[in-house]
Amino acid sequence: MTHIMKIKSGSKFEEIASYSRAVVVDNWIFVSNTAGRNPLTGEMPDDIFEQTEQIFINIDRALISAGSCMADVISAKVFIQDPSHVSSVMEFFGGKFKDIDPVVTVTCPPLGSTIYKVEIEVTAYRGASKLDAERIHIS
């Protein structure tokens, strides 16, 4: 039987908009597009790297709540408000995902507010980090 779990982070925005930080369906974990706001204090740093670090903290908390971890991430979507920040944010992102190598989409759309400089959404498969991954280089 399929098991579904819905995880809330405590963010007031999840309650206002009626969504979950993460939804777990069996071993699949879908984490909502996540901004750099601390869900416990409501604080949003102005610095893009502080926002990005908080995003990873928020995502990691959701994954841990689902019995998973960042190393189980198989897909990520990165939304960066200002295209001039793409290289530096992706270098920071790359440091977090060294040797994990999820598939990634990066785009620069307007976000929900100008205070949001970056948002990240991930999909994980619980236990993926414990499996042997075949690596194929096609070039």
Side-chain angles (χ1 to χ4, degrees), residues 41-55:
T41 66
E43 292 178 17
M44 172 67 94
D46 187 52
D47 180 76
I48 192 165
F49 298 108
E50 289 177 26
Q51 283 189 23
T52 307
E53 183 62 35
Q54 184 64 52
I55 289 167

Side-chain angles (χ1 to χ4, degrees), residues 110-132:
L111 300 177
S113 170
T114 56
I115 66 168
Y116 302 126
K117 296 182 178 180
V118 60
E119 294 184 357
I120 300 172
E121 171 187 327
V122 302
T123 301
Y125 186 82
R126 189 174 23 224
S129 59
K130 293 174 179 63
L131 302 173
D132 289 328

Side-chain angles (χ1 to χ4, degrees), residues 46-124:
D46 187 52
D47 180 76
I48 192 165
F49 298 108
E50 289 177 26
Q51 283 189 23
T52 307
E53 183 62 35
Q54 184 64 52
I55 289 167
F56 281 109
I57 291 168
N58 296 346
I59 290 172
D60 195 45
R61 286 181 63 223
L63 291 171
I64 289 168
S65 296
S68 187
C69 62
M70 204 65 80
D72 288 340
V73 171
I74 60 162
S75 177
K77 294 180 180 128
V78 183
F79 305 91
I80 302 168
Q81 184 102 258
D82 182 343
S84 70
H85 292 143
V86 169
S87 283
S88 55
V89 168
M90 292 313 296
E91 186 174 336
F92 188 90
F93 178 96
K96 295 291 186 179
F97 283 105
K98 180 87 172 129
D99 298 323
I100 299 169
D101 303 330
V103 296
V104 176
T105 299
V106 180
T107 189
C108 298
L111 300 177
S113 170
T114 56
I115 66 168
Y116 302 126
K117 296 182 178 180
V118 60
E119 294 184 357
I120 300 172
E121 171 187 327
V122 302
T123 301

